[in-house]
Amino acid sequence: MTAAIEIEGLRKTFHSLRHGRRVAVDGFDLVVGAGQVHGFLGPNGSGKTTTLRALLGLVRADGGRMSVLGAPSPTHLPEVAGRVGAIVESPQFFGNFTAHRTLRLLAVAGGVPVSRVDEVLEQVGLRDRGHERVKGYSLGMKQRLAVASALLKGPELLILDEPANGLDPAGIREMRDLMRSLAAAGVTVLVSSHILGEIQLICDHVTIISRGRRVATGRVDEVLAGFDQHEFRVRVAEPGRAADLLGAAGLPVRAYADHLVVGQVSDPTTVSRVLGEQGLWVQELTPLRPDLESAFLELTGEGAHPALPRQVDGAEPAHGASEGLIDLDVRVGRDRGGDA
Amino acid sequence: MNLVRAELERLGARRFVQLMLVLLVLAFGVTAATTLAGSHRPTVQELSDARANAAEARRHMDEMYQRCVDRVNGNLPPEAEEEYFPADCNELDPVRQERLPVATDFLPGVFVFAQQARPLLYFLVAFLVLFGFLVGASYIGADLNSGGVVNLLLWRPQRLAVLGTKLGTLLGAVLGLSLLASAAYLAAFWLIGQAAGFPGRLDGEFWRGLGAVHGRGLVLVLLATALGFALATLGRHTSAALGTVAAYAVVWELGARLVLEIVDAPRPDRFMLSSHVGAWLTGRAEFWDGQACGDSGAGFCDGFYTLTWGPALAVLLALTAVLGVAAFVAFRRRDLI
């Protein structure tokens, strides 16, 4: 597999008089293969944007090695910049310029035919509003404009930092369709997002970062498989008796008000058989598949204290807490037995 | 080349630049209109009177000088002894004066181009210096603040080339505008002088002098533009440049000047940028040094000293170069977050 993006051991520490030293990225690794739609996940302040900025030469890395489309970054980035479209965190534009003028200036600066401007405005759904001043745009429209600016070059590699920010549900769906069509056209896409459901729908690969370190990477289904505890939700007429029977059969059972969650079920017919033999007929037998949100929360420790206000990643990484790649023995501890 | 085109378009599309251009045209229009309204073509009689008055004034100067010399030689009648004359009669010598009265000095209500061109040009240069500084600062300041530079760097990830192109484009645009504005400005007033005033003596010496002021003024405009650009780049914001200038004016030009005077520092004006700006623009600036003569009170003491354009230019160039280099170094190393 040819890598469109390779990052190895990226380190970046910010220093400021007010806030002192803050490690943003600490030995982070990322490989995005050509043609992939790669999701880049992490909590606020985990180092996603810093990583993307370093990759694009906007932030000076303290250490590590990066390459984009085979060119070492940032030293040889200019050689491939024409093939890379990117937006990094809430992009801002001159409020007094129209979207059309904004894109035209970028096209002129980048040596792209100005005719592309109308094409990309159409592509992101701004065709009819392209001659309005950007200051009148909603956040979602600005986001569309940012994506349009990234598409202007007709890139081979698209790097999108939170492209769904500010978009309404319809806009998110359009963005999803756009990314799918780009991927179908062979464009490699690296997309960071908080909207985990979207990543799961769009991406074939995913990398999860927490406190500046990679905690999981791989195909989405492989990453999720690491969290599959083979649990099933079971509804029966007599849940108490059913729990006893299943427990006696050696299956771990958690009882809830109106259903049971049975773990370590390698073959669901076992559940039907154990209960059926004792005259208990199964009303519902649903596999509880892990989703990206569960995996994400588990890996990043975001779901550990649901009652407490969550703090933005800001401290230095807890060494050892998230060393290396995903530990496939990690088990999702929180209850997925509800309406998961 | 594409980047220069894009930057030129971006510069021209800036609201602030457009506003400053409107102000320039407005100031130009008001000045020209009031000049036109307050001037008339002198009649033959007025010209004749003015020539007579100038001749009379020159004759009076000769007479005063002669009387001074006579007093020194003891040739004045006793009743004239009470008249005031300077200790050194050379001060009254018409030959030693910078200029002698001419007819145009005696044409009230008449715009005389030869006399007014230089102050008018100083006014234009002052405006263009302000224009260059503000536009230079806001051009990069707004771009840094709004994320425009980041957008551009995603397209052209060559920081020094991008910043250098911005500065080069800015300086080129300001120079072009300054040349156009000054040509239009001087031409308009020359026409007013021809049509509704009096041209005055427009010989080679006049045009050479005016050209020198013009050239030095343009250099000053470019230095101010580069300075505004550099300060805003260093401070990442337009207001950083404005704040720096305001702080310099209050702390150094006012505060430090006061302190230097209190501690009787010799020649405090030479430490002030404003002195060097004046010296550069006018060719030489003369200042009084209160400490030069001491308290002896004995004999004649010339406490004046001059700053000439050469050292003044060196100071202004060095300051701009240092800040410019610092801005490029900072921009090259800076994390754009």
Side-chain angles (χ1 to χ4, degrees):
Chain A
M1 177 193 70
T2 312
I5 294 174
E6 277 184 289
I7 298 177
E8 194 180 314
L10 177 66
R11 286 187 292 107
K12 177 64 187 177
T13 302
F14 291 106
H15 302 269
S16 79
L17 289 175
R18 281 178 62 191
H19 305 294
R21 177 175 174 272
R22 187 176 68 80
V23 177
V25 184
D26 186 22
F28 179 73
D29 300 322
L30 172 71
V31 178
V32 177
Q36 285 182 2
V37 180
H38 198 110
F40 188 23
L41 301 180
N44 287 337
S46 59
K48 293 191 303 295
T49 299
T50 302
T51 300
L52 296 183
R53 284 182 183 272
L55 183 69
L56 294 166
L58 300 175
V59 160
R60 287 166 65 89
D62 296 327
R65 192 183 65 78
M66 297 177 286
S67 73
V68 177
L69 296 175
S73 179
T75 49
H76 290 70
L77 197 55
E79 295 164 18
V80 293
R83 294 153 59 199
V84 180
I87 59 169
V88 185
E89 219 173 27
S90 311
Q92 294 174 333
F93 301 97
F94 273 125
N96 284 324
F97 286 9
T98 65
H100 197 277
R101 172 171 245 168
T102 301
L103 294 180
R104 192 161 57 80
L105 287 174
L106 284 175
V108 170
V112 171
V114 176
S115 58
R116 279 285 296 158
V117 171
D118 288 325
E119 290 172 26
V120 293
L121 284 174
E122 168 96 39
Q123 218 172 345
V124 300
L126 284 178
R127 184 193 58 199
D128 298 333
R129 308 284 301 269
H131 289 282
E132 292 177 19
R133 288 203 178 125
V134 173
K135 68 181 174 188
Y137 279 15
S138 66
L139 180 59
M141 288 169 70
K142 286 179 185 165
Q143 201 66 24
R144 286 168 190 258
L145 176 58
V147 174
S149 73
L151 293 174
L152 203 53
K153 297 181 222 178
E156 289 172 37
L157 169 64
L158 197 56
I159 299 172
L160 303 173
D161 190 11
E162 302 285 358
N165 257 4
L167 294 180
D168 55 20
I172 292 174
R173 185 172 184 166
E174 286 168 21
M175 195 62 69
R176 185 196 310 156
D177 292 342
L178 175 63
M179 273 188 265
R180 277 182 177 154
S181 66
L182 290 168
V187 177
T188 305
V189 182
L190 173 63
V191 53
S192 85
S193 179
H194 288 115
I195 306 175
L196 304 172
E198 280 304 305
I199 293 284
Q200 196 163 352
L201 283 173
I202 298 168
C203 300
D204 45 45
H205 287 73
V206 67
T207 293
I208 300 177
I209 183 174
S210 178
R211 295 177 189 274
R213 292 192 157 207
R214 186 173 77 178
V215 291
T217 191
R219 291 188 59 83
V220 172
D221 49 5
E222 287 170 0
V223 170
L224 293 180
F227 292 85
D228 192 351
Q229 298 177 72
H230 306 285
E231 290 185 328
F232 281 73
R233 183 168 54 220
V234 180
R235 286 182 203 275
V236 289
E238 298 175 58
R241 193 171 148 230
D244 291 342
L245 290 170
L246 292 167
L251 298 172
V253 180
R254 294 197 305 277
Y256 293 90
D258 60 345
H259 68 278
L260 306 173
V261 172
V262 185
Q264 297 176 13
V265 180
S266 53
D267 179 2
T269 58
T270 308
V271 175
S272 305
R273 183 176 48 75
V274 168
L275 297 178
E277 283 172 357
Q278 300 303 318
L280 285 175
W281 307 112
V282 173
Q283 297 167 342
E284 180 188 343
L285 184 62
T286 310
L288 298 180
R289 300 278 181 235
D291 57 13
L292 207 46
E293 181 177 332
S294 310
F296 174 82
L297 294 174
E298 176 66 24
L299 286 165
T300 60
E302 299 292 290
H305 304 288
L308 297 175
R310 188 180 66 79
Q311 303 303 310
V312 172
D313 271 8
E316 292 184 28
H319 291 275
S322 55
E323 291 285 349
L325 297 185
I326 176 175
D327 176 358
L328 296 180
D329 288 333
V330 169
R331 289 290 175 262
V332 178
R334 75 191 193 99
D335 170 36
R336 293 203 310 271
D339 293 327
Chain B
M1 202 56 212
N2 286 333
L3 196 53
V4 173
R5 264 182 60 206
E7 287 302 322
L8 264 179
E9 192 172 339
R10 188 192 293 263
L11 184 63
R14 297 287 314 284
R15 275 291 184 83
F16 184 72
V17 175
Q18 292 167 354
L19 176 70
M20 289 300 286
L21 282 175
V22 168
L23 284 177
L24 175 64
V25 172
L26 206 62
F28 178 22
V30 167
T31 316
T34 51
T35 304
L36 196 58
S39 179
H40 65 276
R41 272 191 99 161
T43 61
V44 174
Q45 185 60 48
E46 280 178 311
L47 282 173
S48 173
D49 290 348
R51 288 190 188 103
N53 286 336
E56 172 61 22
R58 288 194 294 271
R59 193 193 56 74
H60 181 69
M61 287 174 75
D62 284 337
E63 189 180 297
M64 288 302 292
Y65 172 64
Q66 194 53 52
R67 287 175 71 83
C68 181
V69 172
D70 287 347
R71 192 196 64 170
V72 171
N73 295 334
N75 295 335
L76 272 188
E79 63 270 20
E81 283 295 323
E82 290 181 5
E83 275 185 58
Y84 169 77
F85 292 103
D88 182 4
C89 289
N90 284 335
E91 290 181 34
L92 297 178
D93 187 354
V95 178
R96 294 173 183 266
Q97 303 306 307
E98 278 191 23
R99 65 186 287 277
L100 293 173
V102 291
T104 51
D105 295 340
F106 300 92
L107 286 172
V110 175
F111 170 74
V112 181
F113 180 74
Q115 277 183 348
Q116 297 299 316
R118 195 174 282 218
L120 283 169
L121 192 56
Y122 284 143
F123 168 72
L124 180 69
V125 166
F127 187 95
L128 289 174
V129 163
L130 182 70
F131 175 89
F133 183 85
L134 293 179
V135 168
S138 76
Y139 178 49
I140 185 67
D143 239 11
L144 284 169
N145 204 241
S146 72
V149 167
V150 168
N151 280 346
L152 199 54
L153 286 173
L154 291 176
W155 282 70
R156 298 286 284 262
Q158 294 154 299
R159 292 191 182 199
L160 295 186
V162 164
L163 195 68
T165 305
K166 275 185 176 293
L167 178 58
T169 307
L170 173 72
L171 291 176
V174 169
L175 178 62
L177 175 78
S178 300
L179 282 168
L180 274 177
S182 49
Y185 187 76
L186 289 174
F189 283 102
W190 179 81
L191 279 174
I192 291 173
Q194 296 287 340
F198 190 69
R201 191 175 173 186
L202 305 179
D203 53 10
E205 188 185 349
F206 165 81
W207 289 115
R208 273 194 300 278
L210 196 66
V213 172
H214 186 228
R216 288 196 297 261
L218 290 182
V219 170
L220 197 61
V221 170
L222 293 182
L223 289 176
T225 306
L227 210 57
F229 184 90
L231 288 172
T233 304
L234 284 168
R236 302 178 188 229
H237 208 286
T238 309
S239 58
L242 306 183
T244 304
V245 169
Y248 168 78
V250 172
V251 173
W252 191 253
E253 291 276 347
L254 297 178
R257 188 189 295 273
L258 201 62
V259 171
L260 289 171
E261 281 175 10
I262 289 170
V263 301
D264 291 336
R267 301 184 173 188
D269 290 291
R270 68 190 156 140
F271 300 117
M272 304 295 153
L273 273 180
S274 56
S275 306
H276 294 284
V277 168
W280 165 246
L281 197 56
T282 56
R284 65 194 295 274
E286 201 166 67
F287 300 97
W288 167 256
D289 179 17
Q291 303 304 306
C293 301
D295 298 327
S296 66
F300 173 73
C301 171
D302 183 4
F304 286 99
Y305 66 98
T306 55
L307 292 176
T308 55
W309 67 266
L313 177 63
V315 168
L316 297 175
L317 274 179
L319 176 74
T320 309
V322 165
L323 288 172
V325 169
F328 272 79
V329 169
F331 184 71
R332 183 171 173 271
R333 300 181 55 83
R334 174 177 294 163
D335 287 335
L336 296 170
I337 49 178

